[in-house]
């Protein structure tokens, strides 16, 4: 019997089941490099994981790389894949040094830096809002020649942490100060000081938000699904719902695909899977917000793609990182329904007691997954100081209208209960 292929999965949170379940379906064994906030027990228990390999990627990347190379020499593995945004450059470098499929170092750096993405889009003649980089604390003034409203954000952030809309000069000054503070507290440890990490100010793109999940194999891009996130107007941008497939006219879907494919080429992203966020300016013109070279939403975007297009996104991504052609390159998948994700809003923040209403939702036949990432006793902070979704509910429906009705029901039913402040 041929040996099962083995792949090193870096930093995929083991309580998020989608990539692990996909590996089991595809007959792939995983060596899991756990995320810093994962627990050893949970990592070892995850589906398809045959080995746990702790590496200190943040604290000692060189040491982590040589430990990985040692592990490879002991017994080679056939691929390596990033399970979160931060490890994308590390994984690209490891793949290159070990001769495994992956992104170039350059592409990995581009997709981790919103400045570089904006510059590349411009150069390729693709849509991009006006923007300024704010280095030192006083240079926010240079952003005053942008058209208000603007959005202030860390140059290499995630999950809308420190992303703030500003409508006028005073708002801009305050937002820049607040974002810098959040960068220093939460992002700078891995990326240097706020000066180096950088804060970006860009013109506000007015229109609903969408997301596109893609596979890319040897430079050929397939946009697998387009999801609808709806109107998010700020001042903070907490995501709560996604639905796929997005109910949009064929010509807008085609324009989105063209923009997303163009962005892959502009960024040099040739291998793997991507999560691209866009705004539909005026409801019609797609403009990229950003691209991540990984499965979106800590893995849950897999579910939206799988249901709405029939493409087993996570399994296909694993195949690409093993150097294999994705199955959907040669056989047409069949959609099975409308998928929805509901992220329970953090609300006021504090120490979590429980998420009220979740037990009823768990047994609902429309619901495929309920994942609680921050358990009782955990401290969560409210936006713009993001620290985790309390719970994620993934469901499937016969129509988009049914998905909307269900979202409204969840919004009425699910609430985070916090411990009383003593
Ligand atoms: P992050 O990496 O933190 O997710 P994003 O650039 O994706 O940063 O910004 C987070 C959210 O903020 C977006 O999903 C979007 O809703 C909003 N946003 C960011 N930039 C803009 C912009 N230029 N115009 C409109 N909304 C924006
Ligand atoms: Ca984003």
């Amino acid at each position: 019997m041929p040996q099962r292929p083995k792949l090193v999965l870096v930093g995929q949170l083991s309580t998020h089941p989608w990539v692990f379940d996909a590996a089991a379906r595809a007959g792939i064994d995983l060596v899991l490099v756990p995320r810093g906030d994962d627990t050893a027990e949970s990592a070892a228990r995850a589906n398809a994981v045959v080995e746990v390999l702790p590496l200190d990627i943040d604290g000692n990347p060189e040491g982590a790389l040589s430990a990985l190379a040692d592990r490879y020499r002991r017994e080679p593995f056939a691929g390596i894949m990033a399970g979160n945004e931060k490890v994308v450059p590390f994984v690209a470098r490891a793949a290159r040094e070990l001769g495994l499929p992956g992104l170039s170092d350059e592409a990995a750096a581009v997709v981790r830096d919103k400045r570089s993405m904006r510059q590349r889009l411009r150069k390729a003649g693709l849509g991009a809002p006006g923007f300024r980089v704010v280095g030192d604390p006083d240079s926010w003034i240079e952003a005053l020649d942008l058209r208000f409203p603007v959005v202030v954000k860390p140059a290499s952030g995630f999950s809308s942490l420190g992303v703030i809309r500003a409508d006028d000069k005073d708002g801009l000054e305050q937002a820049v100060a607040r974002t810098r503070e959040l960068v220093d507290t939460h992002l700078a440890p891995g990326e240097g000081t706020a000066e180096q990490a950088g804060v970006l100010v860009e013109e506000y793109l007015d229109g609903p938000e969408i997301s596109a999940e893609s596979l890319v194999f040897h430079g050929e891009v397939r946009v697998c699904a387009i999801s609808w996130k709806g109107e998010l107007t700020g001042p903070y941008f907490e995501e709560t719902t996604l639905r796929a497939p997005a109910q949009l006219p064929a010509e807008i879907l085609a324009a989105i695909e063209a923009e997303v494919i163009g962005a892959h080429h502009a960024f040099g992203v040739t291998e793997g899977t991507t999560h691209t966020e866009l705004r539909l300016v005026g409801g019609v013109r797609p403009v990229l917000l950003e691209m991540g070279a990984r499965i979106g939403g800590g893995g849950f975007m897999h579910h939206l793609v799988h249901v709405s297009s029939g493409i087993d996104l996570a399994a296909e991504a694993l195949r690409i990182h093993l150097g294999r052609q994705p199955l959907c390159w040669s056989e047409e998948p069949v959609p099975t329904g409308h998928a929805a994700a509901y992220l329970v809003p953090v609300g006021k923040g504090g120490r979590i007691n429980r998420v009220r209403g979740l037990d009823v939702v768990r047994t609902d036949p429309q619901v495929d997954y309920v994942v609680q990432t921050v358990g009782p006793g955990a401290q969560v902070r409210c936006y713009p100081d993001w620290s985790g979704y309390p719970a994620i509910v993934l469901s499937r429906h016969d129509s988009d209208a049914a998905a909307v009705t269900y979202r409204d029901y969840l919004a009425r039913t699910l609430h985070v209960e916090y411990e009383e402040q003593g």
Side-chain angles (χ1 to χ4, degrees):
M1 215 175 82
Q3 253 198 336
R4 289 161 65 90
K6 202 172 267 191
L7 177 137
V8 174
L9 180 62
V10 184
Q12 190 83 53
L13 200 57
S14 60
T15 48
H16 286 188
W18 305 284
V19 180
F20 300 96
D21 292 353
R25 275 196 301 276
I28 298 165
D29 288 339
L30 297 175
V31 177
L32 178 63
V33 177
R35 227 169 74 164
D37 54 351
D38 215 341
T39 65
E41 304 81 69
S42 167
R45 249 197 341 258
N47 212 354
V49 171
V50 295
E51 181 183 335
V52 178
L53 180 69
L55 297 175
D56 183 13
I57 296 171
D58 267 353
N60 180 7
E62 297 305 321
L65 205 61
S66 77
L68 194 64
D70 285 346
R71 169 62 187 77
Y72 184 81
R73 274 190 293 274
R74 246 185 0 261
E75 185 231 358
F77 38 86
I80 182 165
M81 184 169 113
N84 73 63
E85 186 65 24
K86 265 182 116 172
V87 299
V88 166
F90 176 85
V91 167
R93 185 170 161 207
R96 176 173 52 73
E97 292 191 3
L98 299 173
L100 300 170
L103 291 181
S104 69
D105 293 309
E106 193 184 338
V110 168
V111 291
R112 279 296 289 133
D113 184 346
K114 296 183 207 292
R115 274 168 304 205
S116 309
M117 284 192 266
R118 292 267 170 267
Q119 283 152 357
R120 295 275 180 126
L121 290 172
R122 284 264 175 92
K123 233 170 109 187
L126 297 165
F131 71 98
R132 292 283 177 277
V133 178
V134 177
D136 59 89
D138 296 330
S139 63
W140 64 270
I141 302 170
E142 287 163 26
L144 281 176
D145 57 353
L146 296 175
R147 186 174 33 78
F148 280 98
V150 293
V151 175
V152 179
K153 62 172 93 169
S156 39
F158 49 84
S159 304
S160 304
L161 192 157
V163 182
I164 306 172
R165 169 176 160 156
D167 293 332
D168 52 32
K169 181 167 176 265
D170 289 347
L172 173 64
E173 184 176 10
Q174 284 159 20
V176 169
R178 181 85 174 107
T179 300
R180 293 180 62 86
E181 197 180 282
L182 291 170
V183 168
D184 274 334
T185 319
H186 301 300
L187 301 171
E191 334 241 353
T193 62
E195 254 75 45
Q196 289 154 348
V199 167
L200 219 60
V201 182
E202 46 183 59
E203 290 175 347
Y204 180 75
L205 299 163
D206 199 1
E209 192 156 322
I210 50 174
S211 142
E213 317 316 308
S214 311
L215 291 167
V216 50
F217 179 65
H218 296 356
E220 190 187 332
V221 183
R222 174 168 184 159
V223 178
C224 302
I226 295 171
S227 309
W228 180 259
K229 292 165 85 173
E231 306 284 348
L232 296 161
T233 53
Y236 312 129
F237 300 91
E238 181 173 25
E239 290 175 18
T240 57
T241 65
L242 292 104
R243 301 195 309 277
Q247 304 298 291
L248 288 164
E251 63 274 17
I252 293 182
L253 292 172
I256 295 166
E257 271 200 35
E259 205 71 13
V260 170
I261 292 170
H264 281 80
H265 298 325
F267 302 159
V269 172
T270 55
E271 229 63 58
T273 184
T274 58
H275 169 65
T276 309
E277 294 168 335
L278 309 96
R279 287 252 166 163
L280 276 183
V281 176
V284 292
R285 184 171 61 89
V287 178
L288 223 86
L289 285 169
E290 63 163 344
M291 180 187 290
R294 53 172 172 90
I295 299 174
F300 78 67
M301 290 309 296
H302 158 81
H303 179 76
L304 278 94
V305 175
H306 202 184
V307 172
S308 72
S309 73
I311 297 172
D312 191 343
L313 185 82
E316 299 282 44
L318 292 166
R319 283 187 194 103
I320 292 174
H321 284 279
L322 291 168
R324 302 177 177 184
Q325 189 183 65
L327 301 183
C328 68
W329 255 236
S330 57
E331 47 189 73
E332 235 3 81
V334 183
T336 60
H338 293 254
Y342 182 73
L343 313 172
V344 178
V346 172
K348 69 182 167 89
R351 198 170 290 284
I352 291 194
N353 212 348
R354 62 170 184 150
V355 180
R356 188 153 30 94
L358 220 46
D359 288 341
V360 178
V361 168
R362 269 184 219 283
T363 58
D364 193 314
Q366 300 171 94
V367 171
D368 290 319
Y369 290 94
V370 173
V371 172
Q372 245 179 307
T373 30
V374 278
Q379 186 79 33
V380 294
R381 304 179 301 268
C382 61
Y383 274 89
D385 188 354
W386 186 80
S387 55
Y389 305 115
I392 303 167
V393 179
L394 301 184
S395 54
R396 70 172 72 217
H397 309 275
D398 293 335
S399 67
D400 192 60
V404 173
T405 305
Y406 197 64
R407 189 267 324 271
D408 294 345
Y409 162 77
L410 292 178
R412 284 195 309 273
T413 319
L414 299 179
H415 296 283
V416 182
E417 230 175 62
Y418 291 100
E419 288 175 12
E420 291 305 323
Q421 304 276 290

